[in-house]
Amino acid sequence: MPIRLLSEEVASQIAAGEVVERPASVVKELVENALDAGARNITVTVEGGGRNLVRVADDGCGIPAGEAELAFARHATSKLASADDLYRVQTLGFRGEALASIASVSRVSLITRATDEAVGTQMRLEAGTITQNASIGAPQGTVISVENLFFNTPARLKFLKSETAERSHISALVQRYAIAYPLVRFKLTFDNRTAFQSSGSGDVREVLAAVYGVEIARQLIEINNDYNVPPPAQSPADDDEDDPLLREKRATQYAIRNTIRVSGFISPPSLNRSNRKDITLFVNGRWVQDARLMAAVLQAYHTMLMVGRFPLVVILLTLPPEDVDVNVHPTKAEVRFRNYDGAFTAIERTVRKALTERAPVPHFEARRWTFDPEERRSPQWSPDWGMLAKPEIPNPNLQTPITNYQSPASSASLPPNALAPTAQPELPATDVPLLRVIGQIGAAYIVAEGPDGLYLIDQHAAHERVLYEAFSLQRAAAQIVSQALLEPVAVEVTPAAAALLQSQMETLNHIGFSIEPFGGSTFLVRSLPTVLGSVDPSSAVRVVVEDFEEDETVLETEIEARLMARVCKRAAVKAGQVLALVEQAELVRRLEQCVNPRTCPHGRPTMIHLSVEALEKQFGRRG
Ligand code: ADP
Ligand code: MG
């Protein structure tokens, strides 16, 4: 075929495809416009999963009558004046593409009245062409209705998922924005049923309760930190300016420019998910998908969560607009940072600190035992031993947003301060109080008494943690002590495992092993890290290669940490091993000294706590 210019129609549909992928993209663009217009109330109405109708009504500044037509032209925006502005974008929109794109693949109607105008405008467009433009009486603000999305692009229509799937995308989006903009009142309806609502009171925890449920919202830990990015090598500190006043001024300017605010809410390790969907990141008020920032969050939870488990996190990052490039992709969901490491570290440090200082020891859930014989027969008749046996609290809201919607009425009926930040239970510091060991039960758990009740410690998990931290400490100081075996031990593994072991050998030798190939699939172990004590050398080596799952971690330090965790697991005392009282006491004493005594390196809890208060409830001494 010869080269020719695409028709206007085809070109605009291609461009539209970049912005409008699905109904949720329409909602996103319209909600962002409403936020940019300074709206305090945003109502999103959806019918037929967004194929039939998406309507967003706001009470923002409105569009002046003289500009309404222009608003639908491609690259028409009121948010940028010059190319320079592109490097300090303060609004969510700036490309002037959304309305044009949406209009070209649907039937749009607009009703708007600008703040200082007496009459409003009504406009209709069909596949991008204006079919009606008239004056009309209207309240201040803007209502944009998008009907029959993709009616003129059947191919696109075919790619849409089920109505349920589209609805859950839309509700996830509206809920995220409601969390990030707690002063704006959001309302979302699906086919005339309210699916989500926020009050606009400014209380984020209240919005979180509407999104995730009251119980989860109560457990989330609030974070708020101004992180000062350390100056790079060439810094104002070695500024050669002679005038000390000027030098100080520059340093202050530097500090202001390089402060990254990290705020939001994070889950304690005990509250976790099987996927990353509930890790939400906002950068300067914009919801972004960013793998590296996500990695910073996961790094902060490292060893506190089991492999394959993810936290529930909402983080709002605020930094000078000129340090973020938002003009990366038409959907604006990707950003670039002038200083990526700064943003990474700001998140990682803030979250880690909050976790180590404030994440609670899992509590025994006080549950009243009744003497109903029916219940006695049911499997429920057993004390609910808190964390160990308890599945995670499911999050019905996001998966099936409509049916399981937690209506605002239910949160309104809570005791008045149930959602207030003070309602968060007084969390014990992370470190474990000094404990008095009472004894061992089931050859698996150590019973200990603390100032505030009873602690049950999982001996295996606790020992894993103790070994792991001892190991990490030595590693950090680059002083891993290894112990030569009296006689080298030959270990034979499967050929597949041999390849793996070969590839991990260097790392293993880094962490105190001394292993060398001995022909075929056999390896010779000459020494082991001393921390492991009297572990069987061949099983310590085998554990490294047994069911080693491939995963996305590529960082050398992470592989090392993972190997150390595995080896510690193998070396730790097992459930079923009877321990002498002195051994129990020694284990507990060493656990008390750990930095993260509450979980094993794989994220399982090492202990559960039964407070005196909970005991009193159980015995009916208290209401
Ligand atoms: P952008 O948001 O990138 O500027 P859009 O195509 O989304 O581009 O919108 C074009 C223009 O229409 C905006 O710059 C704004 O001036 C106006 N506009 C769109 N939606 C609204 C709204 N809800 N309230 C007020 N003005 C709006
Ligand atoms: Mg826009």
Side-chain angles (χ1 to χ4, degrees):
M1 274 206 287
I3 301 178
R4 58 192 157 177
L5 281 176
L6 292 175
S7 73
E8 181 61 30
E9 192 198 345
V10 177
S12 72
Q13 280 186 11
I14 291 176
E18 299 266 287
V19 182
V20 192
E21 193 195 338
R22 59 188 335 152
S25 344
V26 174
V27 176
K28 173 173 186 286
E29 294 299 336
L30 297 182
V31 164
E32 289 190 352
N33 280 347
L35 290 169
D36 281 344
R40 297 299 297 263
N41 287 283
I42 299 180
T43 305
V44 182
T45 309
V46 174
E47 282 170 22
R51 294 173 201 208
N52 303 350
L53 173 73
V54 170
R55 174 183 298 140
V56 175
D58 70 56
D59 57 354
C61 65
I63 305 177
E67 295 176 15
E69 223 180 293
L70 197 55
F72 287 92
R74 196 165 293 282
H75 309 305
T77 179
S78 57
K79 300 167 194 174
L80 284 189
S82 70
D84 272 357
D85 292 349
L86 205 46
Y87 300 99
R88 42 170 182 272
V89 173
Q90 312 244 18
T91 47
L92 296 170
F94 58 91
R95 299 173 62 103
E97 281 183 328
L99 291 187
S101 296
I102 293 167
S104 73
V105 290
S106 66
R107 300 189 169 99
V108 170
S109 80
L110 161 79
I111 295 175
T112 185
R113 183 171 67 79
T115 320
D116 45 12
E117 294 190 351
V119 281
T121 308
Q122 178 171 41
M123 249 173 80
R124 277 183 204 284
L125 297 94
E126 175 131 356
T129 310
I130 297 174
T131 55
Q132 186 194 336
N133 188 349
S135 293
I136 188 181
Q140 184 203 314
T142 304
V143 183
I144 295 185
S145 311
V146 178
E147 285 169 88
N148 310 115
L149 184 64
F150 300 137
F151 80 97
N152 55 344
T153 52
R156 198 98 219 187
L157 203 53
K158 257 193 276 177
F159 278 100
L160 287 188
K161 301 257 166 56
S162 69
E163 272 190 32
T164 324
E166 298 302 334
R167 277 199 298 254
S168 76
H169 271 96
I170 294 172
S171 62
L173 186 118
V174 173
Q175 291 174 343
R176 295 303 186 289
Y177 272 99
I179 295 170
Y181 292 84
L183 284 166
V184 177
R185 191 150 114 187
F186 283 87
K187 184 174 178 189
L188 170 65
T189 64
F190 288 135
D191 303 313
N192 291 323
R193 287 173 54 196
T194 305
F196 172 77
Q197 194 161 10
S198 71
S199 73
S201 70
D203 182 345
V204 187
R205 214 180 274 273
E206 189 187 297
V207 189
L208 290 166
V211 174
Y212 295 110
V214 175
E215 184 45 37
I216 288 180
R218 196 180 56 76
Q219 290 182 50
L220 295 176
I221 301 166
E222 185 164 7
I223 53 171
N224 197 350
N225 180 29
D226 282 334
Y227 178 79
N228 296 310
V229 181
Q234 248 304 335
S235 79
D238 34 56
D239 193 334
D240 55 8
E241 173 60 56
D242 290 332
D243 181 350
L245 267 179
L246 250 180
R247 209 163 56 217
E248 198 187 308
K249 192 172 159 212
R250 280 199 214 172
T252 316
Q253 278 171 348
Y254 176 88
I256 294 172
R257 249 182 71 75
N258 289 278
T259 297
I260 299 180
R261 166 160 300 174
V262 186
S263 57
F265 287 81
I266 61 172
S267 60
S270 55
L271 177 64
N272 53 62
R273 302 283 200 219
S274 62
N275 60 52
R276 300 156 200 249
K277 275 195 212 136
D278 288 318
I279 302 179
T280 306
L281 299 164
F282 274 83
V283 174
N284 288 353
R286 183 188 304 281
W287 185 18
V288 300
Q289 265 77 48
D290 187 292
R292 284 159 84 179
L293 297 188
M294 175 92 79
V297 173
L298 297 179
Q299 183 72 32
Y301 278 87
H302 186 60
T303 80
M304 294 190 186
L305 288 176
M306 270 187 252
V307 175
R309 304 298 302 178
F310 301 92
L312 189 162
V313 162
V314 181
I315 287 180
L316 286 80
L317 215 59
T318 314
L319 62 172
E322 55 273 25
D323 288 351
V324 192
D325 182 1
V326 289
N327 188 22
V328 180
H329 189 265
T331 59
K332 300 164 286 175
E334 280 171 49
V335 290
R336 289 204 192 100
F337 292 86
R338 185 175 61 86
N339 176 356
Y340 234 117
D341 292 346
F344 186 100
T345 318
I347 292 183
E348 203 247 339
R349 295 267 163 85
T350 305
V351 173
R352 187 78 185 184
K353 185 157 180 283
L355 285 174
T356 39
E357 284 175 5
R358 286 156 59 199
V361 174
H363 273 273
F364 173 84
E365 294 246 330
R367 198 165 66 85
R368 272 210 162 259
W369 297 348
T370 53
F371 291 87
D372 175 351
E374 272 309 301
E375 193 175 324
R376 184 190 279 244
R377 270 197 300 276
S378 79
Q380 296 231 316
W381 171 257
S382 67
D384 174 4
W385 283 113
M387 302 309 305
L388 283 181
K390 212 164 144 201
E392 70 155 337
I393 304 160
N395 169 20
N397 272 322
L398 288 184
Q399 285 142 14
T400 43
I402 314 173
T403 44
N404 287 313
Y405 168 64
Q406 184 108 26
S407 83
S410 69
S411 55
S413 64
L414 284 169
N417 68 352
L419 295 174
T422 47
Q424 197 166 356
E426 269 309 309
L427 302 176
T430 46
D431 37 303
V432 182
L434 290 182
L435 301 175
R436 182 173 69 88
V437 170
I438 295 166
Q440 193 186 23
I441 46 173
Y445 304 104
I446 296 170
V447 187
E449 186 202 0
D452 50 353
L454 174 77
Y455 286 77
L456 266 182
I457 297 162
D458 178 324
Q459 64 189 39
H460 172 65
H463 196 207
E464 252 184 284
R465 167 54 72 185
V466 165
L467 291 177
Y468 182 78
E469 290 206 4
F471 214 165
S472 312
L473 264 179
Q474 290 189 3
R475 176 75 191 90
Q479 284 179 344
I480 293 206
V481 188
S482 45
Q483 164 93 51
L485 301 172
L486 285 177
E487 296 214 338
V489 175
V491 181
E492 197 187 348
V493 297
T494 63
L500 196 54
L501 191 53
Q502 185 77 43
S503 69
Q504 304 294 349
M505 203 152 63
E506 202 181 325
T507 315
L508 284 169
N509 290 342
H510 248 132
I511 57 174
F513 286 83
S514 154
I515 302 177
E516 58 197 56
F518 195 59
S521 305
T522 307
F523 292 79
L524 214 53
V525 186
R526 293 188 179 279
S527 49
L528 289 177
T530 324
V531 264
L532 298 183
S534 58
V535 65
D536 165 37
S538 65
S539 78
V541 170
R542 283 215 174 88
V543 73
V544 173
V545 285
E546 277 165 11
D547 52 60
F548 197 91
E549 329 140 36
E550 288 300 321
D551 55 30
E552 68 246 61
T553 13
V554 282
L555 293 176
E556 186 59 28
T557 52
E558 239 179 79
I559 294 181
E560 215 177 274
R562 201 161 288 221
L563 289 182
M564 291 199 310
R566 285 179 147 238
V567 172
C568 290
K569 184 171 177 58
R570 183 54 58 97
V573 295
K574 304 282 169 305
Q577 229 165 305
V578 177
L579 301 179
L581 199 58
V582 280
E583 290 174 311
Q584 298 166 27
E586 174 65 11
L587 177 56
V588 170
R589 194 186 60 77
R590 289 174 62 186
L591 185 65
E592 285 161 2
Q593 291 163 355
C594 284
V595 183
N596 286 307
R598 295 154 297 111
T599 56
C600 81
H602 297 89
R604 276 183 291 275
T606 53
M607 61 182 70
I608 50 182
H609 173 211
L610 177 51
S611 68
V612 174
E613 191 193 2
L615 277 172
E616 288 183 338
K617 276 196 190 147
Q618 295 293 338
F619 286 111
R621 289 168 176 270
R622 276 211 211 177

